[in-house]
Amino acid sequence: MKRVGIWLDKLEANIVVLNNGKENLTNIPSELDFFNPKGGARSKTKWGPQDVVQDSKYLEREKHQLKDYFEKIAEHISDADQINIFGPAEAPEKFMDALKTRHSHLADKVKKVETVDSMTENQFKALVKQSFGMDDRFPEQT
């Protein structure tokens, strides 16, 4: 049984695959552009026009980049039997929504979506094993 744990945020996704007592860790970078638009600039003349920041352009670009990022992750986990998703803020929920809309067969395999803070690689592996009820001494429990 192929069990997959994913920890993701807007920077990267760490994927642990547990299969037949073996574990494999993969990292997928998001390639998201982080926009930091500055406020509008004032004209040199008094009461002159101001430059307007177009937030909608930045948000639309981010939305498309997130979609591509989530597609890469879904492609990587397409053959999973069980999936648990972890991450900070709203990243896990956004990924779950993307799975529901575009990959319903994968969304049905998701057992847990949980908000967790940053952690080391070993902590993440332990969390994934614990979330599936596995122990290092007995690789294929459940």
Side-chain angles (χ1 to χ4, degrees):
M1 176 172 275
K2 191 169 188 178
R3 296 177 173 124
V4 176
I6 305 168
W7 185 93
L8 74 148
D9 62 6
K10 286 189 175 183
L11 289 176
E12 65 182 352
N14 292 313
I15 302 171
V16 171
V17 177
L18 304 173
N19 192 13
N20 297 327
K22 297 178 185 173
E23 63 183 53
N24 184 17
L25 179 73
T26 306
N27 181 283
I28 298 177
S30 70
E31 299 175 5
L32 272 167
D33 294 332
F34 288 95
F35 308 105
N36 190 11
K38 302 293 181 209
R42 294 221 43 104
S43 172
K44 300 289 185 217
T45 61
K46 191 173 184 178
W47 307 109
Q50 292 183 354
D51 292 336
V52 177
V53 176
Q54 298 293 326
D55 285 339
S56 60
K57 287 182 187 177
Y58 297 115
L59 294 174
E60 191 66 24
R61 190 178 311 164
E62 183 183 78
K63 184 172 84 172
H64 289 291
Q65 290 174 345
L66 271 176
K67 180 181 174 188
D68 294 340
Y69 173 48
F70 291 157
E71 286 295 320
K72 284 182 196 174
I73 297 170
E75 186 178 303
H76 190 79
I77 63 167
S78 61
D79 59 343
D81 295 318
Q82 292 180 343
I83 303 169
N84 287 344
I85 304 171
F86 306 97
E90 72 275 352
E93 287 84 14
K94 283 186 178 182
F95 180 60
M96 186 62 191
D97 292 341
L99 286 179
K100 286 178 183 176
T101 57
R102 290 188 292 277
H103 301 281
S104 59
H105 66 285
L106 286 176
D108 295 339
K109 297 177 182 181
V110 174
K111 303 300 178 200
K112 181 186 285 190
V113 178
E114 189 175 320
T115 302
V116 295
D117 288 330
S118 299
M119 55 184 65
T120 66
E121 184 178 306
N122 288 336
Q123 288 173 326
F124 173 57
K125 287 179 184 177
L127 175 67
V128 171
K129 287 178 183 176
Q130 179 186 7
S131 71
F132 286 116
M134 299 172 73
D135 190 349
D136 288 336
R137 296 171 292 171
F138 307 104
E140 285 296 321
Q141 288 182 346
T142 321

